[in-house]
């Protein structure tokens, strides 16, 4: 339960004076929540400096200034659509205050003729006359001191002014209690961090532009709090996971030896190391939750299969789940011959399997006669029952959410989980998303692979490119040709791709150029793919990335049109479709000039490196973590205060801090532990607190 000290923070913002239901709704949209705490997390993005107080005739156009003037005369409009004007002056010149739709008697009270007033707002010049339309402030000179001469500016939504938000935030800060500090004292001292409430106040009260930077002590402290809460929560979940019993899978390795002997290649050092880590997890009593990262073609499937084999060897079951039908089939194709070498049957189960054959697989999974299965989501439908499922391998290719994945293990008792991903995740993000989740990285490519020759070429040389590709095709090369999504409408895109297919067919021969696109039925897609894989087609034009998620080692050319429209990760994935055989490969990235700054940087990186891990880091740098984490649907966390690009160092510290704390005080029962519980509640990690025994 949330500690009482935090109650004021979780009260609705409408409890604040000046915040009615209408403003409350707008604030909710703006701040991502309608509670007082949401306002506190809504940090200013700019500031208004009203200290510039020139004489009227020196007020610069369009800038906010504060002027001291004497009121001369009121000039009501002749017709209500025209503005009401009030003429004022100082020693240097005249100023007209301009008001639309404002009642005269209100203005005569506010601006009595003959008196001096301080007005603040933007000055504009109109026919040599200085004007200020709807000043932000009109006060008596003696009130001037109470005027906030520097105001924070908040991200706005329609119907709400920065002034209103500022007022609400100030009221929210008034409500903020002082909290017992959860920071490690040495860290706080080293970073010159103040206590939470002071940090909050100063983050909302910038005195100059630099105070808005993420590197200010106040903002760093608030970011750290958020990161620490997140790391602590992840660590608690992991600690809990580790305490859960897992099925021990300790096989002697006879089957594996048989398969290794039958393999036409040797495992790479990275594969051997990853397998050893997985074996260690499987042989322990705890439950495995491990991420296996590696580029397409780095040999993840083989590693996963060898782990699955250990389960089969001791009469347990293992399942591999892929995000698409095509990928499931491809994994099955990789695995089936290996399973045969081991003498262990393996089945494929996807949504397309129906009737008798499906029932046959289900029966054998239920009675335990079938130990290994490869499939799609279909594997986890309700009517699928396992006799003794002990290991699940999930090939996520970034399509399954984290939560879904964690919930998935429910099909067996204490199921071990291995997640494979082909999109390398930068270390920073890895930490945020998975915390201390164990990770293995296949950083090394299988031997014999040739580097890919990547070239960046303007689209207006399309003709030359086609000619060059044609020359290779005459030598029976195979090429992917990717046309990206260009328009909003799929129909238009499809037309562009069909047109490209026709154009290429006219050059290379109609029977040599195929097309796959998102609108095709799965069977049609597979058929086209199959023709390409078998060498019947030389060129496969594709509209989307997913469609080329196939393994065709003979393909040596990848042409990407409008490469500037793709993200780095996508380009890397696309390029990963070639360079998988022993023949040299070429990737041609065609771009439409002129290239923007970021697009240029992306293409340069593609030309420079094939290292997926480096590309992922660069991607993070170019896009910023916000965008990479981006959407809620991605299942990745969103931070309100922390900026993973600017605060990457803090993430590391938070990770270590969390780990150290839990090592010493696993139940968060010490004095600092208790304050950390408050921190967890403050960032709404209630679920993590519940994992504590005395939570
Ligand atoms: P991933 O799942 O990472 O995309 P795979 O496991 O499917 O990679 O391997 C891609 C191809 O490389 C497969 O044809 C596989 O047989 C082959 N392969 C895997 N490991 C090695 C290795 N150590 N040496 C040579 N070829 C390998
Ligand atoms: Mg694979």
């Amino acid at each position: 339960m949330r500690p009482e000290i935090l109650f004021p923070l979780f009260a609705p913002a409408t409890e604040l004076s000046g915040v009615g239901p209408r403003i409350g709704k707008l604030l909710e949209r703006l701040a991502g929540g309608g509670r007082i705490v949401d306002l506190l997390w809504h940090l200013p993005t700019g500031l208004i400096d009203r200290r510039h107080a020139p004489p009227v005739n020196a007020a610069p156009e369009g800038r906010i200034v504060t002027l001291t003037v004497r009121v001369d005369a009121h000039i009501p409009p002749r017709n209500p659509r025209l503005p009401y004007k009030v003429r004022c002056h100082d020693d240097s010149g005249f100023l007209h205050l301009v008001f639309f739709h404002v009642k005269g008697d209100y203005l005569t009270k506010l601006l009595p003729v003959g008196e001096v007033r301080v007005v603040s707002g933007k000055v504009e010049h109109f026919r040599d006359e200085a004007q200020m339309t709807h000043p932000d402030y009109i006060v008596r000179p003696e009130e001037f001191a109470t005027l906030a001469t520097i105001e924070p500016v908040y991200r706005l939504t329609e119907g709400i002014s920065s002034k209103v938000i500022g007022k609400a935030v100030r009221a929210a800060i008034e409500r903020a209690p002082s909290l017992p500090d959860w920071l490690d004292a040495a860290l706080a001292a080293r970073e010159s961090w103040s206590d939470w409430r002071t940090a909050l106040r100063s983050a909302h009260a910038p005195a100059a532009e630099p105070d808005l930077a993420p590197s200010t002590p106040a903002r760093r402290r608030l970011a750290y709090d958020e990161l620490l809460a997140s790391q602590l929560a992840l660590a608690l979940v992991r600690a809990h996971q580790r305490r859960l019993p897992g099925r021990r899978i300790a096989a002697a390795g006879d089957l594996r030896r048989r398969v290794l002997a039958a393999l036409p290649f040797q495992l790479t050092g990275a594969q051997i190391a990853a397998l050893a880590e997985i074996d260690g997890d499987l042989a322990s009593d705890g439950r495995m939750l491990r991420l296996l990262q590696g580029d397409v073609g780095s040999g993840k499937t083989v590693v996963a299969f060898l782990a699955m084999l250990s389960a089969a060897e001791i009469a347990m079951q293992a399942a591999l789940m892929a995000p698409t039908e095509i990928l499931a089939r491809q994994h099955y194709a990789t695995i089936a011959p290996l399973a045969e070498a081991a003498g262990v049957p393996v089945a494929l189960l996807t949504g397309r399997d129906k009737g008798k054959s499906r029932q046959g697989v289900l029966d054998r999974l239920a009675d335990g006669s079938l130990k290994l299965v490869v499939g799609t989501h279909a594997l986890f439908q309700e009517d699928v029952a396992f006799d003794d499922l002990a290991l699940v391998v999930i090939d996520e290719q970034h399509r399954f959410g984290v939560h879904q994945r964690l919930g998935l293990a429910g099909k067996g008792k204490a199921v071990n989980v291995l997640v494979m991903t082909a999109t390398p995740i930068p270390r920073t993000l890895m930490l945020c998303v998975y915390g201390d989740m164990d990770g293995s990285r296949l950083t090394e490519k299988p031997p014999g692979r040739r580097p890919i020759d990547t070239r960046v070429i303007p689209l207006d040389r399309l003709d030359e490119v086609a000619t060059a590709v044609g020359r290779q095709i005459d030598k029976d090369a195979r090429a992917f040709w990717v046309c990206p999504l260009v328009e909003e409408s799929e129909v238009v895109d499809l037309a562009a791709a069909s047109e490209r297919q026709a154009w290429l067919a006219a050059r290379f021969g109609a029977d040599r150029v195929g097309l796959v696109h998102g609108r095709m039925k799965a069977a049609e897609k597979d058929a086209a793919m199959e023709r390409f894989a078998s060498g019947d087609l030389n060129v496969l034009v594709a509209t989307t990335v997913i469609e080329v998620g196939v393994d065709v080692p003979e393909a040596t050319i990848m042409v990407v049109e409008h490469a500037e429209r793709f993200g780095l990760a996508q380009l890397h994935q696309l390029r990963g479709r070639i360079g998988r055989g022993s023949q040299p490969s070429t990737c041609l990235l065609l771009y439409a000039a002129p290239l923007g700054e970021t697009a240029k940087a992306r293409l340069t990186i593609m030309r420079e490196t094939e290292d997926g891990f480096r590309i992922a880091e660069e991607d993070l740098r170019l896009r910023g973590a916000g965008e990479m984490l981006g959407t809620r649907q991605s299942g990745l966390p969103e931070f309100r205060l922390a900026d993973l690009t600017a605060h990457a160092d803090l993430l590391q510290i938070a990770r270590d801090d969390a780990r150290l704390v839990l090592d010493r005080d696993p139940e968060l029962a010490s004095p600092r532990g208790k304050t950390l519980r408050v921190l967890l509640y403050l960032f709404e990690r209630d679920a993590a607190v519940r994992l504590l025994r005395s939570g």
Side-chain angles (χ1 to χ4, degrees), residues 8-9 11-12 15-17 36 40 170-177 197:
L9 294 177
E15 279 188 9
L16 300 170
S17 69
I36 289 178
L40 297 181
R170 274 196 302 281
I173 294 176
E174 283 317 309
R175 292 272 197 114
R197 203 157 172 267

Side-chain angles (χ1 to χ4, degrees), residues 561-578:
E561 285 192 42
H562 284 291
E564 78 280 1
R565 297 201 169 120
F566 287 97
L568 257 183
Q570 281 178 307
L571 288 174
H572 177 62
Q573 290 274 5
L574 280 175
R575 186 172 57 183
R577 306 300 162 198
I578 57 169

